[in-house]
Amino acid sequence: MAWACRLGLLLALLLPVVSASTPGTVVRLNKAALSYVSEIGKAPLQRALQVTVPHFLDWSGGVLQPTRIRILNVHVPRLHLKFIAGFGVRLLAAANFTFKVFRAAEPLELTLPVELLADTRVTQSSIRTPVVSISTCSSFSGHANEFDGSNSTSHALLVLLQKHIKAVLSNKLCLSISNLVQGVNVHLGTLIGLNPVGPESQIRYSMVSVPTVTSDYISLEVNAVLFLLGKPIILPTDATPFVLPRHVGTEGSMATVGLSQHLFDSALLLLQKSGALNLDITGQLRSDDNLLNTSALGRLIPEVARQFPEPMPVVLKVRLGTTPVAMLHTNNATLRLQPFVEVLAAASNSAFQSLFSLDVVVNLSLQLSVSKVKLQGTTSVLGDVQLTVASSNVGFIDTDQVRALMGTVFEKPLLDHLNALLAMGIALPGVVNLQYVAPEIFVYEGYVVISSELFYQS
C-alpha cells in the first residue's frame, strides 16, 4: 500500500497546481459509518494487538530462570468509535488476551482482560488528504487468571507474571494502535489518486480544508479537478461556495455525498472540449429502411432530388461547439445540447458535398445512478428537437418536414452515443477497495446528494 501513497504524492507534485479554495463536493461520514468501521475493524485490531512479550525473569527458585511468554490469542469482543466534536474520533475497545507461559515444570495459560482508550485527531495532510493522529492513548488491564480456573500457580508467581505482562502491554499496545492508524493514513492517501474518465481525461480529488467534526458526522470539503491531456479544466469561480445542508438525503446512511452544479459543469465542459460528444451518423445504403440517403431526402427537398438522381449515402456530422448545460432542480435533472449538424451527401467522385446545416437544440431528461464507485447517467429526449436552418446549398428547406426525418435518423444515434459516454461514469470520492452500496440519489436545487452504505473489500 505504500506505493499508492508515494504515487499519490508524486502526482500531487507533478500535476498543475489548481486553486482549491471553493469545494465542489462534500463527503459526510455519519455515525453509521463509524459503526461499520467498528465492526470490520475488530479483526485488524486483534492482529495489531498481537505484540511480542519479552522473557519473564523468574527468581522464585533462587536461580534466574528466563521464562518465555507468548500471546496465544487476542479477542476483541467490543470496539466502539464515536465522534468528538471539533476534534476527531474516540476509540474504546475491550480485548481479552490469552498467554502461554512456558515454565520448566508445566506450561501455564493465563487470561487477561484489557480496556483500551484512544483519542484521535483528524486533520489535513500536506498533500490535501485526511490524516489521523493519536492524541492520547491508554490501556487498563484487569486481573489475570489461569485459563482453566484451577489457580494451581502460587499467588506470588502469578502476581509477578501479571506485573510483567501488564508493563509490557502498557508500553506496546498504544504503539500498535498508532501503527494501525498509520496504515489507515496510507489508505486515506489514495483519495488524491487520478481516476480515468476517458482515454485522455482524469479526475482528481483533494481536500480544501481541515475536516469539520461534529457529534454526528465528519465532513470533508473536497475539490474535484478534471484533467484533459494533463491540463485542468477551469471554470469561472463561483462566488457562492457550495454548502451541503445538514438534513439532506437518507437519515441513518453511512455516507452523504453532495455534488455541486460546478462538478457537472466541469464534466460536461470536459466532454465538449475532448470532442467525445461529436459523432458522424451514417446509414446502410442498401438497407430497405435506411433514410440516410439522397432519395429519402429528395422527397422532402426537391433540389436534392435534382442534384442526385441516383441514391447516394448521406452523413450527419454532429459537432458540439457549445458546452452542454446541466440543470438541477428539485427532483429533476435535465441536459440541454446545442449541436451543429451538417448534412453531407457522397458525390460521384467519392467526395462529400455539403447540402445544408442545422442549429439544433435537444432537451434531455437525466437519470443518475451509482455503480460501485462511479456516478453514471442515462438520458431520454424531452419534447421535440428544435431545428433552425443555419445554411443551405439546396434552396428552401421546410424544417417541419426535416424534423420528422431527424427524429428518426438523429435522435436514437445521439442518445446511444451520449448514453454510452455517461455509462462510463465518473469516479466519486473514495479510497482503494471502498465501494458505495445501495445508494439513493436526490436532486435538489443546484446540487445532487448521494446517500449510501459503504462496503470495504479487504
Side-chain angles (χ1 to χ4, degrees), residues 78-370:
R78 180 171 60 87
L79 173 59
H80 178 67
L81 300 173
K82 62 177 291 187
F83 291 117
I84 306 175
F87 188 82
V89 177
R90 173 166 291 168
L91 178 151
L92 296 164
N96 295 319
F97 288 77
T98 303
F99 300 89
K100 187 166 187 177
V101 183
F102 294 87
R103 294 188 304 168
E106 181 182 359
L108 169 69
E109 289 191 13
L110 298 176
T111 61
L112 180 70
V114 177
E115 297 283 334
L116 296 164
L117 170 64
D119 286 343
T120 62
R121 181 183 293 276
V122 185
T123 56
Q124 181 184 20
S125 73
S126 59
I127 56 172
R128 296 179 186 167
T129 61
V131 61
V132 184
S133 60
I134 300 290
S135 176
T136 60
C137 179
S138 55
S139 61
F140 307 92
S141 300
H143 181 70
N145 292 295
E146 292 187 47
F147 184 74
D148 58 5
S150 62
N151 295 319
S152 60
T153 307
S154 70
H155 176 72
L157 178 59
L158 195 59
V159 168
L160 291 174
L161 281 170
Q162 181 171 251
K163 184 177 180 181
H164 173 74
I165 290 171
K166 287 183 177 181
V168 171
L169 296 186
S170 178
N171 289 331
K172 290 193 172 186
L173 293 188
C174 284
L175 179 60
S176 295
I177 293 175
S178 180
N179 291 336
L180 187 64
V181 167
Q182 291 308 310
V184 171
N185 286 333
V186 171
H187 214 62
L188 293 175
T190 62
L191 173 70
I192 65 169
L194 282 177
N195 290 288
V197 177
E200 300 172 333
S201 54
Q202 303 85 26
I203 186 169
R204 185 189 70 186
Y205 290 101
S206 60
M207 287 174 55
V208 174
S209 59
V210 174
T212 300
V213 185
T214 73
S215 59
D216 296 318
Y217 60 80
I218 181 170
S219 182
L220 311 178
E221 293 187 345
V222 177
N223 189 44
V225 180
L226 288 147
F227 293 87
L228 177 62
L229 297 173
K231 296 182 179 180
I233 299 295
I234 303 295
L235 289 174
T237 302
D238 189 348
T240 306
F242 173 54
V243 177
L244 183 65
R246 180 169 182 142
H247 299 292
V248 290
T250 304
E251 185 178 356
S253 63
M254 291 186 191
T256 305
V257 181
L259 307 174
S260 69
Q261 177 80 50
H262 187 274
L263 179 63
F264 289 87
D265 293 344
S266 297
L268 292 172
L269 180 59
L270 172 69
L271 289 175
Q272 187 261 322
K273 281 184 171 293
S274 68
L277 294 170
N278 300 335
L279 75 152
D280 293 343
I281 301 173
T282 61
Q284 298 296 323
L285 182 61
R286 302 188 185 281
S287 174
D288 293 337
D289 59 354
N290 174 40
L291 298 178
L292 277 177
N293 59 65
T294 53
S295 294
L297 206 55
R299 289 193 288 270
L300 305 176
I301 306 171
E303 182 60 21
V304 173
R306 189 189 70 78
Q307 292 186 23
F308 297 90
E310 296 295 326
M312 299 297 288
V314 169
V315 175
L316 305 182
K317 293 181 73 69
V318 183
R319 299 294 179 264
L320 268 291
T322 303
T323 305
V325 177
M327 289 162 283
L328 304 174
H329 302 293
T330 303
N331 300 324
N332 184 35
T334 59
L335 286 178
R336 170 169 287 195
L337 271 60
Q338 295 178 269
F340 177 79
V341 180
E342 187 177 11
V343 182
L344 305 99
S348 56
N349 60 359
S350 298
F352 277 87
Q353 173 183 333
S354 177
L355 303 180
F356 58 93
S357 59
L358 301 169
D359 290 320
V360 182
V361 177
V362 185
N363 291 309
L364 302 160
S365 173
L366 175 62
Q367 295 82 39
L368 297 169
S369 60
V370 174

Side-chain angles (χ1 to χ4, degrees), residues 33-94:
L34 282 191
S35 298
Y36 177 63
V37 174
S38 297
E39 190 58 37
I40 67 171
K42 289 179 181 178
L45 181 58
Q46 287 173 171
R47 291 192 293 270
L49 297 180
Q50 291 268 5
V51 299
T52 301
V53 180
H55 285 47
F56 168 65
L57 302 180
D58 184 7
W59 289 88
S60 60
V63 179
L64 178 63
Q65 295 180 347
T67 302
R68 187 162 63 95
I69 301 175
R70 182 164 63 91
I71 295 178
L72 294 180
N73 182 56
V74 180
H75 175 58
V76 177
R78 180 171 60 87
L79 173 59
H80 178 67
L81 300 173
K82 62 177 291 187
F83 291 117
I84 306 175
F87 188 82
V89 177
R90 173 166 291 168
L91 178 151
L92 296 164

